[in-house]
Amino acid sequence: MAVLSHHEDGAVVAQTLLLLLTVSSSLLGAVVPALAADPPFSCGPSSTAATQGYAFCDATLPVAQRAADLVARLTPAEKVAQLGDEAAGVPRLGVPAYKWWNEALHGLATSGKGLHFNGAVRSATSFPQVSLTAAAFDDDLWFRIGQAIGREARALYNLGQAEGLTMWSPNVNIYRDPRWGRGQETPGEDPTTASRYGVAFVKGLQGNSSASLLQTSACCKHATAYDLEDWNGVARYNFDARVTAQDLEDTYNPPFRSCVVDGKASCVMCAYTGINGVPACANSDLLTKTVRGDWGLDGYVASDCDAVAIMRDAQRYAPTPEDAVALALKAGLDIDCGTYMQQHAAAAVQQGKITEDDIDKALNNLFAVRMRLGHFDGDPRANIYGGLNAADICTPEHRSLALDAAQDGIVLLKNDAGILPLDRAAVASAAVIGPNANNPGLLIGNYFGPPCESVTPLKGVQGYVKDARFLAGCRSAACDVADTDEVASLAASSDYVLLLMGLSQQQESEGRDRTSLLLPGQQQSLITAVADAAKRPVILVLLTGGPVDVTFAKTNPKIGAILWAGYPGQAGGLAIARVLFGDHNPGGRLPVTWYPEEFTKVPMTDMRMRADPATGYPGRSYRFYQGETVYKFGYGLSYSSYSRRLVSSGTPNTDLLAGLSTMPLPAAEQGVASYHVEHIGPQRCEQLRFPAVVEVENHGPMDGKHSVLVYLRWANATAGRPAKQLIGFRRQHLKAGEKARLTFDISPCEHFSRVRKDGSKVVDRGSHFLMVDKHEMEITFEV
């Protein structure tokens, strides 16, 4: 990487870096000369199935009819062979083999089985890990990321480097506990944010085309109430989550409901978790009654990998393999990630535990999705996505989007005396210190593929500071041994000091929960020693998926600024540098609460969201937690000063409630009369909507993007009501001195409602308060 003069204009610096990366990526092998293979498909014009006039090849027929025709032509053995993530081909019918398991969490990944980077394409765009992208609070950004990933998947498929287009993403579980190793994969702790992320990402991934053809198939995982890997001897494979109907309805299930109802996701994946004694993948109330019945899933239900086997082997829920298969299929599962159902379904039929009709039902759902992907319409290169090829992967637009996503998500947590942004002309030298400063692999988190390019923070800073010197200080983020004297000496001799610290997949990942919220090993003592040795307050950049307790840094005046940069993807180092040197005005907000170390006394196995003061249980998330925080949900600073206020609001037409009886609630719920949302009904709910307008102004000195968060507060937080609930957000670009008015659509049935202990949704009569910051507007809901 060439070192650029610190006198260059920031925009030129960024453009030059991107140009260098674009050139170097071809040398890294993003696209190499190779002969493209043919994609797998059925029903070509000369195929036996097409020439015989089989109905499953007739694209003019309804998908369900075509799928049923194909399933009816399969032998029992051929049917059973379709029940695993690696589905066998049926040569006599021209049906190719298919691989269902493909990952697209924040870019195409090699962790599934169907995507390959060994042909004409050797890499794909790696966007930031989801927890950072969520911090932008930007539906359009999330949609565009999903769309870019979907286009790259289609291109890979057209080139014969993908054996499937079913993407087992996104992960929309609620990040309930800060120690969870997979929290980094999720949009955070708030149901509204996770729901809107899921909808936007799914729409982008599947293609927002008016045509019935799916770009790819999205699968929202892992339903439901899953956020434990391995804690205190309890593993995700044998954990039975005890969850109230109230918490299921207002916390754990909403993102999955939104994925299916609003996003039209074509798949839901069930978790390993047991839910109140029943494994999720054997839970007919969840899979059939709720997901397919109440929410109307048009698609298939997949298991997490080996979840069916685990029902017998770890959970001891099923006495035999055949019982496990029967329980899963009858509950509504369609496909097993693994081979367990393929191995034992035939015996389950022979033993009378399932019928062939049970298998047919699952296969109808599976083949219907494959038909919606165009796999039975002849050569897919002739459909609306057929023109996508190697030139549509790692495009300049996708690279730019990866940079935008990273810098838009970065959260400024501390900026004492306005130490940031740095003036590059005033930075004669910089010490870049930390195990996360020059580690390309760390930037892309988990569930990743080979990125188009990689810019570490060190490389990013070198683009602005000619004399930038680097020491890791620790061999890894674990920081078991620290070179404290050496890094302190470098800090003392440098004009400015940048510390790139945090976590890695060795501390937080799938299968690995944290036991502490503190920075690992000797990181804290190393940071403090460097801060003591430096000429001026140092700048701390945290690369983590989840929250950490950095109270020591927050309160230390020798640490002048703190940034959280998540796992920022392939362009992460450039994004960090652009924020540090003021070429991007930070506007990210935390999508999770940052708790103190004290919170680790709370068992991860306690699934309750609401606090219980009588036992000292503090509750979880900004909605219910009653305790001290390091940083609150939604917190984030900027280089500009913004103001926000509610300037007007309509009112719901409560005359529509005339004649509608209210429900007097039990004394335990304060005896407040409420309207049952189910009784109000969809038509009245739609007619009750009204607008609210928020004015936001950028008082300068810099242009920037700013997210406005609107909350709902009830008249009191008793009887299980949240302290407040996020009900809407909008991201707006504003020039310095500019103001804008943003209109929010308020639905009383959705936004004023709360969930009772029995899981029913009600809207209390009386006052409700719209909130933006400390500014409130009272809305009365009664005739």
Side-chain angles (χ1 to χ4, degrees):
M1 174 61 66
V3 177
L4 303 177
S5 168
H6 62 274
H7 297 295
E8 291 181 78
D9 177 77
V12 174
V13 171
Q15 290 168 2
T16 307
L17 276 169
L18 283 172
L19 177 62
L20 289 171
L21 290 165
T22 302
V23 172
S24 65
S25 67
S26 63
L27 300 176
L28 290 170
V31 180
V32 298
L35 292 175
D38 290 331
F41 63 89
S42 189
C43 299
S46 60
S47 67
T48 301
T51 57
Q52 293 291 324
Y54 293 160
F56 70 81
C57 285
D58 187 348
T60 66
L61 295 175
V63 164
Q65 183 178 342
R66 296 175 67 193
D69 176 77
L70 175 53
V71 172
R73 296 179 188 279
L74 300 178
T75 67
E78 289 168 341
K79 291 178 180 179
V80 168
Q82 302 299 312
L83 293 174
D85 65 274
E86 294 191 64
V90 187
R92 67 184 181 85
L93 295 176
V95 178
Y98 187 77
K99 294 187 177 178
W100 289 88
W101 180 11
N102 307 285
E103 299 285 356
L105 180 67
H106 57 104
L108 301 182
T110 54
S111 38
K113 295 181 179 178
L115 305 181
H116 311 292
F117 295 94
N118 56 359
V121 172
R122 298 296 179 91
S123 60
T125 310
S126 182
F127 296 95
Q129 182 62 290
V130 178
S131 60
L132 182 66
T133 307
F137 286 90
D138 187 342
D139 303 83
D140 181 64
L141 175 68
W142 302 335
F143 171 81
R144 288 186 291 130
I145 290 173
Q147 185 180 53
I149 295 170
R151 287 176 63 84
E152 294 197 355
R154 262 291 173 177
L156 207 64
Y157 184 79
N158 291 342
L159 293 165
Q161 289 183 233
E163 297 174 79
L165 283 171
T166 38
M167 303 295 152
W168 287 356
S169 305
N171 183 343
V172 293
N173 287 105
I174 293 296
Y175 194 174
R176 175 192 62 98
D177 193 293
R179 293 163 287 185
W180 186 30
R182 299 187 74 177
Q184 60 183 292
E185 301 175 25
T186 77
E189 70 183 36
D190 174 61
T192 297
T193 311
S195 296
R196 283 180 51 176
Y197 177 89
V199 171
F201 187 86
V202 166
K203 285 184 174 180
L205 195 64
Q206 293 196 157
N208 209 21
S209 169
S210 58
S212 58
L213 183 69
L214 294 173
Q215 179 173 254
T216 68
S217 165
C219 192
C220 295
K221 62 184 185 185
H222 316 74
T224 184
Y226 162 48
D227 75 339
L228 178 147
E229 300 300 306
D230 189 354
W231 177 82
N232 200 28
V234 179
R236 59 181 178 166
Y237 304 120
N238 57 20
F239 175 48
D240 180 30
R242 295 291 167 170
V243 190
T244 66
Q246 189 176 39
D247 286 341
L248 274 175
E249 182 62 29
D250 77 355
T251 299
Y252 298 114
N253 281 351
F256 295 100
R257 180 193 303 114
S258 293
C259 262
V260 174
V261 175
D262 302 315
K264 307 301 180 188
S266 47
C267 169
V268 168
M269 176 181 285
C270 50
Y272 296 116
T273 317
I275 303 168
N276 299 324
V278 182
C281 292
N283 193 319
S284 59
D285 280 347
L286 174 65
L287 304 185
T288 297
K289 180 179 180 296
T290 302
V291 173
R292 197 171 292 282
D294 296 344
W295 301 345
L297 174 69
D298 181 11
Y300 71 103
V301 176
S303 79
D304 206 340
C305 292
D306 296 319
V308 179
I310 285 167
M311 289 181 199
R312 174 182 180 268
D313 299 339
Q315 295 170 331
R316 302 298 177 186
Y317 186 75
T320 69
E322 294 78 17
D323 285 304
V325 170
L327 286 166
L329 279 174
K330 287 183 176 295
L333 185 71
D334 297 313
I335 194 167
D336 172 30
C337 179
T339 61
Y340 204 73
M341 291 216 299
Q342 290 168 319
Q343 293 172 352
H344 301 292
V349 173
Q350 292 169 357
Q351 295 173 20
K353 296 177 189 266
I354 56 172
T355 66
E356 195 170 337
D357 285 345
D358 293 321
I359 296 175
D360 288 354
K361 184 178 178 182
L363 265 54
N364 282 334
N365 293 329
L366 296 174
F367 279 114
V369 169
R370 289 184 61 182
M371 286 171 181
R372 291 169 63 193
L373 288 165
H375 294 166
F376 294 87
D377 297 341
D379 193 332
R381 290 168 295 193
N383 66 38
I384 60 173
Y385 300 114
L388 297 172
N389 55 40
D392 296 288
I393 298 175
C394 292
T395 65
E397 293 80 8
H398 292 179
R399 296 168 192 261
S400 178
L401 182 60
L403 174 61
D404 285 345
Q407 60 192 17
D408 284 359
I410 290 173
V411 182
L412 179 61
L413 297 172
K414 178 182 179 181
N415 194 22
D416 285 359
I419 188 173
L420 293 178
L422 299 174
D423 178 357
R424 70 178 60 81
V427 181
S429 64
V432 182
I433 295 169
N436 290 353
N438 198 34
N439 182 350
L442 178 124
L443 301 177
I444 53 180
N446 67 355
Y447 282 93
F448 57 83
C452 315
E453 59 207 25
S454 184
V455 189
T456 65
L458 175 61
K459 286 184 179 179
V461 172
Q462 286 174 337
Y464 288 85
V465 182
K466 186 174 182 179
D467 184 10
R469 290 167 286 171
F470 166 64
L471 281 176
C474 310
R475 286 190 297 269
S476 69
C479 204
D480 296 323
V481 177
D483 302 321
T484 305
D485 292 341
E486 187 178 9
V487 295
S489 176
L490 176 61
S493 64
S494 301
D495 200 16
Y496 282 83
V497 177
L498 310 174
L499 286 149
L500 283 299
M501 312 299 283
L503 305 174
S504 74
Q505 300 303 305
Q506 297 306 307
Q507 287 79 45
E508 53 175 355
S509 61
E510 184 168 4
R512 182 180 287 116
D513 294 321
R514 285 185 283 160
T515 56
S516 172
L517 297 178
L518 300 175
L519 289 172
Q522 297 186 41
Q523 281 197 40
Q524 181 170 326
S525 60
L526 185 146
I527 293 167
T528 302
V530 168
D532 287 340
K535 298 176 181 178
R536 53 172 54 87
V538 301
I539 297 158
L540 174 62
V541 181
L542 299 168
L543 289 98
T544 74
V548 284
D549 182 352
V550 288
T551 302
F552 80 97
K554 179 181 178 182
T555 57
N556 186 344
K558 294 183 178 180
I559 299 173
I562 305 173
L563 287 173
W564 176 67
Y567 295 125
Q570 65 180 42
L574 179 55
I576 290 168
R578 282 176 54 78
V579 170
L580 290 173
F581 289 90
D583 286 330
H584 182 82
N585 190 352
R589 290 170 172 259
L590 293 177
V592 292
T593 301
W594 283 35
Y595 300 89
E597 174 71 0
E598 179 79 7
F599 190 84
T600 58
K601 295 178 181 179
V602 177
M604 282 191 74
T605 50
D606 194 326
M607 301 298 291
R608 290 176 296 167
M609 295 301 300
R610 288 156 171 84
D612 182 2
T615 62
Y617 182 69
R620 297 177 182 272
S621 86
Y622 77 94
R623 297 158 65 224
F624 302 108
Y625 175 63
Q626 298 178 2
E628 297 297 319
T629 62
V630 180
Y631 291 108
K632 295 181 182 297
F633 172 89
Y635 179 79
L637 304 174
S638 170
Y639 297 152
S640 290
S641 172
Y642 294 91
S643 62
R644 301 151 296 271
R645 65 189 184 98
L646 284 156
V647 293
S648 67
S649 172
T651 55
N653 181 10
T654 53
D655 289 344
L656 294 165
L657 303 175
L660 191 67
S661 61
T662 58
M663 301 169 54
L665 300 182
E669 298 191 22
Q670 306 299 305
V672 177
S674 299
Y675 298 96
H676 200 301
V677 171
E678 189 175 296
H679 294 167
I680 297 173
Q683 184 176 352
R684 280 198 195 94
C685 282
E686 189 64 29
Q687 294 171 336
L688 285 166
R689 290 179 177 272
F690 65 93
V693 178
V694 177
E695 183 178 87
V696 56
E697 182 173 1
N698 180 355
H699 300 280
M702 294 178 61
D703 299 350
K705 297 176 184 176
H706 185 68
S707 294
V708 175
L709 277 54
V710 178
Y711 293 87
L712 188 283
R713 180 179 71 80
W714 285 263
N716 61 69
T718 59
R721 296 174 181 85
K724 62 180 180 178
Q725 169 65 59
L726 182 68
I727 61 172
F729 51 84
R730 287 271 299 279
R731 192 168 179 88
Q732 181 72 29
H733 184 273
L734 294 167
K735 294 179 181 179
E738 183 181 6
K739 66 174 63 174
R741 291 196 168 192
L742 309 179
T743 301
F744 291 82
D745 180 39
I746 308 298
S747 168
C749 290
E750 178 184 355
H751 300 137
F752 289 8
S753 63
R754 64 182 180 86
V755 177
R756 298 179 62 204
K757 288 185 177 180
D758 63 2
S760 62
K761 294 179 73 172
V762 298
V763 182
D764 294 337
R765 284 182 56 181
S767 296
H768 298 75
F769 299 87
L770 297 179
M771 297 174 58
V772 175
D773 298 330
K774 294 181 179 180
H775 190 261
E776 294 189 349
M777 188 169 288
E778 183 177 1
I779 307 294
T780 302
F781 193 79
E782 60 186 333
V783 179

